[in-house]
Amino acid sequence: MLDCRGPRLPRVLHWGRPLPHASDADLTALALASLPATVPNSLDTPASVAVVPEPATGWFGLPGVLGHRDGRHWSPLFETEHVGVHDRGAGEGGEVAVLASDAGCGLSLELRLDLTAVGVLRMRAVLRNTASGWYTLDGLVMALPVPAEATELLDFTGRWSRERDPQRRAFSAGAHVRDGRRGRTGSDASFVLVAGEKGFGFRSGQVWGVHVGWSGNHRTYAERLPTGDSVVGGGELLQSGEVRLAPGASYETPWVYAAHGDGLDEMAARFHRLVRSGRGDRRPVIVNTWEAVYFDHDLGRLTALVDAAAEVGAERFVLDDGWFRGRRDDRAGLGDWFVDEARWPEGLHPLVERVRARGMDFGLWVEPEMVNPDSDLARAHPDWIMATECRQPPSSRHQQVLDLRRREAYEYILERLDALVREYRIAFLKWDHNRDLVDAGVHEQTRAVYRLMDELRARHPGLEIESCSSGGARVDLGILERTDRVWASDCIDGIERQAIQRWTALLLPPELIGSHVGSARAHTTGRTQSLALRAGTALFGHFGIEWDLTAASGEERAELRRWVQLYKRMRGWLHRGLVVRADHPDPALWLHGIVSADREQALFSVVAMATGARTQPGRVRIPGLDPHRRYHVRPLAPGDSPGTTAVTPNPWLAEGVVVTGRMLAEVGLSAPPLHPEQLLLLHVTKA
């Protein structure tokens, strides 16, 4: 509910549970009832926060616009000139466009608030310099109020191989500001910032969440003033002097997304429906070569891996790092995007032909935004390395950033990628980005990367791109406007991935989250885990394999083939279904699943993340089904025989049990006492 009355910028009166039967009179009354007692033209009146907060109104929180004109015009006060409303019809959402200006400061502001049909609000602002002199913009963020009932905050931190690690705290007075300054989204990004009622969980408590859809520096924040006013918001984080507006020039913010839910699952479902809109359903089984061979590229070895991949049912074969000139490790070659003639005298054609002959399409790893100082490109064009006027930034992973703001560097990379995709008819690019940006022009670099991806996709409409960035360090809705999935983490240890995928799915539907089956001993943690845990975890994502299958036993390959067949059989409805997670009192036992859109079937996973607090875990509730239907719940092979401490199995596990959806949600079923790091699959079908 947006209040656009009067000369000031619009303010949000309500975003939360729907008000389906509210009349115009009801809304007008609510708007009037929401205003505090006023003293005309006085700071004794509490300021109502606008979508772009303005200190000039008496708002003492973080300002929406930070900037100046040679030390002047640093506090604009915008006056609304026009409000345009586009109502798409019942259930389809609508859009409000607002034009406002401050003639004294020489600025105009365009606001766009789009309430999508799935219930996600997205907001964007355009600031234009209407005066004759230059204007320096240091920041522009947008904000939404949250009610006093929101007393807790959830956001995320993390590191390489442990991305999206949740952290909760009280929503107390002051500003909780999360700035991402890595030049990319970052492993430690706040990701989604959620304000919620005390004790909120996946299935309970109102929550209000925001996400900044931008792949460069960004700010997300929550703030509570002593007056009781509270907001959540965010936008791009600009570096000093990064955006200076010439007369007539403008700056456009990234989209800021916001969604409400009764529980985290409902909020996530809104984001999922938004992200899924317009995307295809094709999610082929991938085999990626990285953990199988690393840099050891040998045609014979890779050909054997192709044959093993086809044997287990793979549909896409992706050649990872190591195929281009001078690339024997991570110290050299980045930027020289030509096939290494020493390793591949006939180019990649023999391998690609074998891949296609075995019924798979071909994908390739690239890292177009980076350059090794030890490369032909860096030696020929040292000025293409992004640097300040006086020094190069410190190297990371033996690499620097290629300055795509430079037209020549941009055109070189576009030509190389275009040529590779054409020559080898590449279906899929694993697009990596392995270092933070330091001393860098992040704003224009991010925009250049977006243009590069957009142009490449325009030239090759069927090309799919994965966003990979030191694992999961670039996961946001800005990059996902132009990519088809994300690599959630370089860690594919089953237990670690359970947590990473659980929280990545707060924003992204599972089929956009690349999830691979690794070798029995995880390369990043050293833990040894069952194939059921590894494959059962990958089943709830975009399924892939990252394992030297030529070294796997025949028994292991046969079992893996069964998991691949299960994925293929179910992905049609899994990738359109509703993600459901249960709130179980024992943090060692996790239950999550996907319910089909027609609610006629579901697939759930019960996972022992560690040893439980009690000998018997008790009942697990299975939510999300039709409460009035009867369902048959039974274990599903090949995830039907986890290790347990039970002398005899739970009686219902042998043949399953038939109960109503309401009984499953309210009462639940007795869970087996699983050994740690064990997974049980449950298939729920209409009885």
Side-chain angles (χ1 to χ4, degrees):
M1 181 180 173
L2 191 66
D3 186 357
C4 296
R5 300 171 304 162
R8 299 277 71 85
L9 292 178
R11 62 192 183 104
V12 173
L13 298 181
H14 170 78
W15 64 295
R17 289 172 177 157
L19 306 173
H21 306 297
S23 65
D24 289 346
D26 293 331
L27 297 178
T28 300
L30 180 59
L32 290 172
S34 70
L35 294 174
T38 61
V39 179
N41 197 30
S42 170
L43 287 180
D44 295 328
T45 302
S48 297
V49 64
V51 173
V52 176
E54 296 178 291
T57 65
W59 175 254
F60 290 105
L62 294 174
V65 176
L66 282 174
H68 65 94
R69 197 186 305 278
D70 296 326
R72 300 177 298 116
H73 301 159
W74 44 265
S75 181
L77 182 61
F78 291 100
E79 184 170 331
T80 297
E81 297 175 353
H82 177 74
V83 177
V85 179
H86 174 54
D87 187 349
R88 301 191 187 101
E92 295 300 318
E95 185 177 333
V96 174
V98 177
L99 177 63
S101 66
D102 182 335
C105 285
L107 297 171
S108 70
L109 184 68
E110 300 172 34
L111 302 177
R112 180 180 171 190
L113 294 94
D114 181 13
L115 181 60
T116 64
V118 300
V120 175
L121 174 69
R122 59 179 194 162
M123 310 183 295
R124 169 172 277 173
V126 177
L127 185 74
R128 188 176 304 277
N129 180 11
T130 59
S132 57
W134 287 74
Y135 182 82
T136 299
L137 179 65
D138 291 324
L140 203 173
V141 298
M142 306 184 76
L144 292 166
V146 291
E149 288 78 7
T151 59
E152 290 186 8
L153 296 175
L154 166 71
D155 64 1
F156 298 86
T157 182
R159 58 171 175 82
W160 176 77
S161 81
R162 192 183 172 90
E163 295 86 343
R164 285 164 293 287
D165 194 16
Q167 54 184 16
R168 290 179 77 137
R169 67 189 65 211
F171 192 174
S172 54
H176 176 63
V177 180
R178 294 295 308 281
D179 286 349
R181 301 177 183 272
R182 297 183 179 274
R184 52 179 173 171
T185 318
S187 301
D188 59 343
S190 61
F191 189 53
V192 180
L193 188 152
V194 180
E197 294 178 322
K198 183 177 178 58
F200 68 85
F202 288 111
R203 308 298 300 177
S204 63
Q206 288 195 84
V207 293
W208 295 263
V210 293
H211 168 80
V212 178
W214 179 247
S215 309
N217 292 342
H218 59 281
R219 166 170 289 178
T220 311
Y221 75 99
E223 185 172 26
R224 173 154 285 163
L225 301 188
T227 60
D229 293 288
S230 304
V231 297
V232 292
E236 182 181 5
L237 181 64
L238 296 175
Q239 299 176 103
S240 181
E242 198 170 23
V243 173
R244 298 188 69 238
L245 300 178
S250 63
Y251 163 81
E252 183 178 67
T253 70
W255 287 112
V256 177
Y257 297 85
H260 166 271
D262 278 299
L264 292 170
D265 275 358
E266 186 175 78
M267 182 195 75
R270 297 186 192 280
F271 283 131
H272 293 179
R273 288 193 292 269
L274 176 75
V275 176
R276 280 172 168 162
S277 178
R279 293 183 184 267
D281 289 335
R282 184 169 181 263
R283 300 289 163 190
V285 177
I286 288 176
V287 164
N288 180 278
T289 66
W290 179 242
E291 288 196 5
V293 303
Y294 292 106
F295 292 105
D296 185 14
H297 283 204
D298 171 80
L299 180 58
R301 184 179 183 186
L302 287 168
T303 298
L305 187 58
V306 169
D307 293 341
E311 178 190 336
V312 299
E315 299 161 302
R316 171 172 290 164
F317 189 89
V318 180
L319 183 65
D320 212 288
D321 194 358
W323 57 268
F324 46 97
R325 284 180 187 164
R327 193 67 164 177
R328 300 297 185 271
D329 51 35
D330 63 1
R331 295 173 180 271
L334 283 180
D336 299 341
W337 299 112
F338 294 87
V339 176
D340 190 327
E341 298 89 347
R343 278 183 163 177
W344 303 94
E346 299 177 67
L348 298 177
H349 292 291
L351 178 66
V352 175
E353 289 167 7
R354 184 62 163 256
V355 167
R356 293 211 171 89
R358 297 307 307 265
M360 294 176 282
D361 63 28
F362 181 71
L364 194 66
W365 179 94
V366 292
E367 192 173 2
E369 300 158 66
M370 301 296 157
V371 58
N372 285 124
D374 183 5
S375 65
D376 293 341
L377 181 70
R379 284 184 284 270
H381 301 285
D383 54 323
W384 290 9
I385 296 176
M386 185 175 285
T388 64
E389 292 79 2
C390 56
R391 64 180 180 276
Q392 278 193 6
S395 67
S396 176
R397 207 170 180 258
H398 314 290
Q399 64 192 54
Q400 294 285 358
V401 180
L402 187 64
D403 192 349
L404 295 177
R405 302 172 303 172
R406 298 181 65 102
R407 180 180 57 83
E408 306 92 335
Y410 175 95
E411 290 179 352
Y412 163 76
I413 290 295
L414 177 60
E415 183 277 327
R416 283 286 76 226
L417 294 177
D418 181 45
L420 287 164
V421 173
R422 288 182 189 279
E423 180 175 358
Y424 296 107
R425 291 183 292 139
I426 293 170
F428 176 89
L429 286 179
K430 179 180 176 180
W431 189 302
D432 214 336
H433 178 286
N434 275 310
R435 65 157 288 162
D436 296 327
L437 275 61
V438 178
D439 277 357
V442 174
H443 172 73
E444 289 299 334
Q445 179 78 356
T446 305
R447 291 176 49 157
V449 172
Y450 284 175
R451 289 196 304 273
L452 181 62
M453 288 183 170
D454 291 344
E455 177 59 28
L456 193 63
R457 293 288 290 265
R459 295 185 183 188
H460 305 279
L463 177 67
E464 296 179 30
I465 299 176
E466 174 184 67
S467 172
C468 176
S469 186
S470 306
R474 189 155 65 181
V475 177
D476 61 80
L477 296 188
I479 204 70
L480 271 163
E481 287 184 19
R482 42 203 44 93
T483 57
D484 300 276
R485 76 171 206 167
V486 301
W487 183 231
S489 178
D490 282 341
C491 180
I492 52 177
D493 172 297
I495 288 295
E496 297 296 328
R497 263 309 186 101
Q498 282 284 328
I500 291 166
Q501 291 170 205
R502 179 187 185 97
W503 296 112
T504 304
L506 209 59
L507 181 69
L508 304 187
E511 70 273 12
L512 268 64
I513 303 171
S515 185
H516 292 181
V517 181
S519 60
R521 185 176 185 272
H523 288 212
T524 53
T525 66
R527 286 191 290 215
T528 300
Q529 296 166 338
S530 69
L531 182 51
L533 175 66
R534 289 139 51 209
T537 300
L539 185 66
F540 289 87
H542 182 178
F543 191 98
I545 301 159
E546 197 151 337
W547 179 9
D548 184 1
L549 295 174
T550 64
S553 68
E555 184 180 78
E556 287 175 319
R557 288 199 297 271
E559 184 181 352
L560 179 60
R561 185 163 57 249
R562 294 174 68 200
W563 282 101
V564 170
Q565 291 167 348
L566 176 63
Y567 171 78
K568 290 179 177 179
R569 190 166 75 244
M570 293 195 162
R571 64 183 165 187
W573 65 265
L574 280 178
H575 296 169
R576 295 190 296 270
L578 180 70
V579 174
V580 174
R581 288 156 293 205
D583 295 306
H584 192 271
D586 187 346
L589 192 70
W590 285 11
L591 181 138
H592 65 93
I594 300 176
V595 179
S596 65
D598 58 13
R599 296 208 283 183
E600 292 198 352
Q601 66 175 317
L603 185 67
F604 282 91
S605 171
V606 181
V607 183
M609 298 292 289
T611 55
R614 295 176 293 275
T615 305
Q616 295 295 328
R619 290 192 293 260
V620 289
R621 294 173 177 173
I622 302 178
L625 298 160
D626 185 336
H628 306 295
R629 282 182 176 169
R630 298 180 68 79
Y631 292 96
H632 188 188
V633 186
R634 56 188 179 275
L636 180 65
D640 58 343
S641 54
T644 78
T645 62
V647 177
T648 58
N650 299 54
W652 69 271
L653 288 172
E655 300 296 332
V657 63
V658 176
V659 288
T660 66
R662 187 179 302 280
M663 291 177 67
L664 289 171
E666 298 297 333
V667 181
L669 301 174
S670 176
L674 299 175
H675 285 306
E677 302 185 18
Q678 294 292 307
L679 175 146
L680 171 67
L681 275 188
L682 297 176
H683 193 198
V684 182
T685 55
K686 185 179 66 172

